[in-house]
Amino acid sequence: MKNTRQTALTFLCMTFLLLLANTSTASDVKRGARIYQQYCTPCHGQEGNGRGPRAKNEALQPPPRNHTNGFYMNMQSDVRLFKVIKFGGKKNNLAHIMPQWKHILKDKEIFTIIAYIRTLAQDPEYVAPTTQGWRKNPYAGDEREQLKDHIKKQ
Ligand code: HEC
C-alpha cells in the first residue's frame, strides 16, 4: 500500500516537474551545459558526440550515447531522458555503464541538462540513396530495410 502511494506521489511530482521543465530558458541551457561539462563529458565527450576520454579506443561497450544524433535523440521524450539520467542505465534496460545521478544532481539540475542536450541534437542531413549510397544508422538500423516497401512502390 505504502509502495503504491509512493509510486503515485513520485509520478505526480515528476509530472509537475516536467511541466516546469517545459519552460526552460536560456539560462537553464547555460546551467545545464556547465553541469554536463563537469559530469558527463568524460564519457559523452566535450561536444556530446559520445567520444569522451573514458570512451577512447572503444573502452566502453556499449559506447556512450551520441547526444548530437538527432535521428535518435529527437525520438526520446524528456521523461525518458529524465529517467535514464536520474536512475541510470541499468534501471532503464540500458547498460549499467550509464550511471545514476540521483544522489548527485537535483531534479531541477537534470532538467537543465536535458534543455542543454536538446540544443546538441542535430537532424542528420538527408543523403539521397541513389547518389550517396545507403547509410547505416546505428540506432535505427538499415535505412534500406525501412524503406523497402516504399522503394518497391516506386
Ligand atoms: C561512465 C560513463 C558515463 C557517464 C559519466 C555518463 N554517461 Fe550517459 N551513457 C553512458 C553510456 C555507456 C550510455 C549508453 C548506454 C546503452 O547504450 O546501453 C549512456 C547513455 C546516456 C543517455 C541515453 C539515454 C537513451 O534514452 O538512450 C543519456 C541521455 C545520457 N547517457 C546522459 C548522461 C548525462 C546527462 C550524464 C551526466 C550527468 C551522463 N550521461 C554521464 C555512459 C556515461
Side-chain angles (χ1 to χ4, degrees), residues 30-42 45-48 113 116 120:
K30 259 197 187 153
R31 189 157 166 230
R34 270 203 304 274
I35 306 171
Y36 190 90
Q37 292 300 318
Q38 187 178 351
Y39 294 114
C40 318
T41 51
Q46 281 290 319
E47 285 95 40
I113 297 177
Y116 172 65
L120 300 176

Side-chain angles (χ1 to χ4, degrees), residues 35-36 38-44 54 60-67 72-73 76 80-82 84-85 89 93-99 101 105 110 113-114 117 139:
I35 306 171
Y36 190 90
Q38 187 178 351
Y39 294 114
C40 318
T41 51
C43 292
H44 290 279
R54 287 188 63 179
L60 301 180
Q61 289 302 331
R65 189 73 74 246
N66 174 1
H67 292 151
Y72 175 85
M73 290 305 291
Q76 310 305 318
R80 157 79 177 179
L81 299 182
F82 180 84
V84 175
I85 298 168
N93 294 325
L94 292 176
H96 70 277
I97 306 171
M98 168 60 196
W101 295 94
L105 300 174
I110 296 179
I113 297 177
I114 295 173
I117 287 180
Y139 305 112

